Amino acid sequence: MAPGKSTHRKNLLALAFALASAAAVYATADGSWLKHVPDSDRVRTNPFAGQADAVAAGNGVFQDHCAKCHGPDGEGRGKKPSLRSSRVQDATDGEIFWLLKNGNLPKGMPTWSKLPEQTRWQVIAYVKSLGKSGLFSYAGKPATGDGQ
Protein backbone atom coordinates (compact mmCIF):
# COMPACT_ATOMS: atom_id res chain seq x y z
CA MET A 1 0.00 0.00 0.00
CA ALA A 2 1.33 3.45 -0.89
CA PRO A 3 2.28 5.72 2.04
CA GLY A 4 -0.48 8.18 1.18
CA LYS A 5 -3.17 5.51 1.37
CA SER A 6 -1.86 4.25 4.71
CA THR A 7 -2.01 7.73 6.21
CA HIS A 8 -5.47 8.26 4.78
CA ARG A 9 -6.69 4.98 6.28
CA LYS A 10 -5.23 5.89 9.70
CA ASN A 11 -6.93 9.28 9.53
CA LEU A 12 -10.26 7.65 8.66
CA LEU A 13 -9.89 5.20 11.55
CA ALA A 14 -9.06 8.03 13.94
CA LEU A 15 -12.10 9.98 12.73
CA ALA A 16 -14.35 6.94 13.10
CA PHE A 17 -13.05 6.37 16.64
CA ALA A 18 -13.63 10.03 17.54
CA LEU A 19 -17.20 9.92 16.19
CA ALA A 20 -17.94 6.65 18.01
CA SER A 21 -16.57 8.10 21.25
CA ALA A 22 -18.66 11.24 20.87
CA ALA A 23 -21.75 9.11 20.21
CA ALA A 24 -21.06 7.01 23.33
CA VAL A 25 -20.76 10.12 25.49
CA TYR A 26 -23.91 11.56 23.96
CA ALA A 27 -25.82 8.34 24.59
CA THR A 28 -24.71 8.32 28.22
CA ALA A 29 -25.84 11.92 28.64
CA ASP A 30 -29.16 11.33 26.95
CA GLY A 31 -31.11 13.66 29.23
CA SER A 32 -33.63 10.96 30.16
CA TRP A 33 -33.63 12.34 33.71
CA LEU A 34 -35.39 15.49 32.46
CA LYS A 35 -38.69 13.65 32.05
CA HIS A 36 -38.74 12.92 35.79
CA VAL A 37 -38.49 16.55 36.91
CA PRO A 38 -41.82 17.78 38.30
CA ASP A 39 -43.07 21.10 36.92
CA SER A 40 -42.88 22.60 40.41
CA ASP A 41 -39.12 21.94 40.45
CA ARG A 42 -38.56 22.77 36.79
CA VAL A 43 -39.63 26.40 37.30
CA ARG A 44 -37.47 27.07 40.37
CA THR A 45 -34.94 29.86 39.94
CA ASN A 46 -31.47 30.10 41.39
CA PRO A 47 -31.31 32.82 44.06
CA PHE A 48 -27.54 33.04 43.46
CA ALA A 49 -27.56 33.16 39.63
CA GLY A 50 -24.78 35.35 38.23
CA GLN A 51 -23.37 36.35 41.63
CA ALA A 52 -19.57 36.28 41.49
CA ASP A 53 -19.16 35.14 45.10
CA ALA A 54 -21.66 32.30 44.56
CA VAL A 55 -19.88 31.24 41.35
CA ALA A 56 -16.55 31.17 43.24
CA ALA A 57 -18.07 29.17 46.11
CA GLY A 58 -19.72 26.80 43.62
CA ASN A 59 -16.38 26.30 41.87
CA GLY A 60 -14.80 25.16 45.14
CA VAL A 61 -17.56 22.64 45.78
CA PHE A 62 -17.47 21.53 42.13
CA GLN A 63 -13.72 20.85 42.33
CA ASP A 64 -14.21 18.84 45.55
CA HIS A 65 -17.28 16.82 44.51
CA CYS A 66 -17.84 16.95 40.75
CA ALA A 67 -14.51 17.34 38.94
CA LYS A 68 -13.57 13.70 39.49
CA CYS A 69 -16.25 12.68 36.99
CA HIS A 70 -16.95 15.82 34.96
CA GLY A 71 -13.37 17.13 34.78
CA PRO A 72 -12.00 20.25 36.44
CA ASP A 73 -13.30 22.35 33.54
CA GLY A 74 -16.70 20.63 33.28
CA GLU A 75 -15.88 19.15 29.86
CA GLY A 76 -16.58 15.59 31.00
CA ARG A 77 -14.40 12.51 31.35
CA GLY A 78 -14.82 9.22 29.56
CA LYS A 79 -18.52 8.39 29.65
CA LYS A 80 -19.30 11.20 32.11
CA PRO A 81 -21.00 14.04 30.23
CA SER A 82 -19.77 17.54 29.66
CA LEU A 83 -21.59 20.10 31.75
CA ARG A 84 -20.87 22.61 29.01
CA SER A 85 -23.20 20.81 26.60
CA SER A 86 -26.36 22.44 25.30
CA ARG A 87 -28.42 19.87 27.20
CA VAL A 88 -27.01 21.05 30.55
CA GLN A 89 -26.54 24.72 29.74
CA ASP A 90 -30.09 24.98 28.34
CA ALA A 91 -31.64 23.12 31.29
CA THR A 92 -33.41 25.33 33.81
CA ASP A 93 -31.74 25.94 37.14
CA GLY A 94 -34.63 24.07 38.75
CA GLU A 95 -34.04 21.01 36.55
CA ILE A 96 -30.38 20.90 37.51
CA PHE A 97 -31.26 21.46 41.18
CA TRP A 98 -33.62 18.47 40.99
CA LEU A 99 -30.84 16.34 39.45
CA LEU A 100 -28.36 17.31 42.17
CA LYS A 101 -30.95 16.49 44.83
CA ASN A 102 -32.12 13.18 43.31
CA GLY A 103 -29.20 11.99 41.21
CA ASN A 104 -29.49 9.62 38.27
CA LEU A 105 -27.99 6.41 39.62
CA PRO A 106 -28.56 4.30 36.47
CA LYS A 107 -26.31 6.77 34.60
CA GLY A 108 -23.78 7.04 37.46
CA MET A 109 -24.89 10.41 38.84
CA PRO A 110 -25.02 10.27 42.65
CA THR A 111 -27.44 12.26 44.76
CA TRP A 112 -26.04 15.35 46.44
CA SER A 113 -29.06 15.81 48.69
CA LYS A 114 -26.84 15.97 51.78
CA LEU A 115 -25.22 19.16 50.51
CA PRO A 116 -27.04 22.20 51.88
CA GLU A 117 -29.55 23.72 49.45
CA GLN A 118 -27.53 26.96 49.24
CA THR A 119 -24.44 24.97 48.26
CA ARG A 120 -26.30 23.17 45.47
CA TRP A 121 -27.51 26.53 44.09
CA GLN A 122 -23.91 27.80 44.18
CA VAL A 123 -22.75 24.76 42.20
CA ILE A 124 -25.45 25.49 39.63
CA ALA A 125 -24.31 29.13 39.43
CA TYR A 126 -20.79 27.86 38.72
CA VAL A 127 -21.90 25.28 36.13
CA LYS A 128 -24.00 27.87 34.30
CA SER A 129 -21.02 30.27 34.33
CA LEU A 130 -19.03 27.76 32.26
CA GLY A 131 -21.14 28.39 29.17
CA LYS A 132 -21.38 26.09 26.18
CA SER A 133 -18.49 24.48 24.38
CA GLY A 134 -18.25 23.08 20.88
CA LEU A 135 -19.61 19.59 20.15
CA PHE A 136 -16.18 18.12 19.49
CA SER A 137 -14.15 20.12 21.98
CA TYR A 138 -11.34 18.45 23.87
CA ALA A 139 -9.85 19.29 27.28
CA GLY A 140 -11.87 22.45 27.72
CA LYS A 141 -10.87 23.97 24.38
CA PRO A 142 -13.91 24.82 22.26
CA ALA A 143 -13.90 23.57 18.70
CA THR A 144 -14.87 27.01 17.43
CA GLY A 145 -15.32 30.47 18.87
CA ASP A 146 -15.02 31.16 22.57
CA GLY A 147 -17.31 28.31 23.66
CA GLN A 148 -20.12 30.60 24.75
Side-chain angles (χ1 to χ4, degrees):
M1 185 178 298
K5 288 183 180 182
S6 176
T7 301
H8 182 68
R9 178 176 279 185
K10 286 180 185 178
N11 288 341
L12 284 176
L13 287 173
L15 177 61
F17 179 76
L19 290 173
S21 297
V25 168
Y26 182 78
T28 301
D30 64 3
S32 61
W33 60 274
L34 285 165
K35 67 184 174 198
H36 301 291
V37 180
D39 288 338
S40 58
D41 287 324
R42 193 176 308 277
V43 299
R44 292 183 72 183
T45 58
N46 187 346
F48 301 101
Q51 296 179 16
D53 55 338
V55 170
N59 178 30
V61 175
F62 181 90
Q63 298 306 322
D64 290 342
H65 296 297
C66 311
K68 179 180 179 185
C69 292
H70 295 287
D73 54 10
E75 283 288 341
R77 281 197 170 151
K79 292 184 178 182
K80 305 302 181 197
S82 170
L83 301 180
R84 298 180 70 185
S85 67
S86 292
R87 183 177 317 283
V88 174
Q89 292 296 315
D90 292 343
T92 69
D93 291 347
E95 289 169 335
I96 297 172
F97 187 87
W98 182 92
L99 179 62
L100 291 177
K101 180 179 177 185
N102 296 286
N104 187 1
L105 294 177
K107 298 291 184 180
M109 175 67 182
T111 175
W112 294 106
S113 61
K114 292 189 179 189
L115 287 177
E117 187 169 313
Q118 174 179 331
T119 303
R120 284 180 269 154
W121 285 124
Q122 291 170 333
V123 170
I124 294 166
Y126 171 70
V127 168
K128 290 293 191 151
S129 78
L130 296 172
K132 295 178 186 176
S133 65
L135 176 62
F136 296 106
S137 65
Y138 178 75
K141 296 179 181 106
T144 60
D146 65 0
Q148 302 299 318

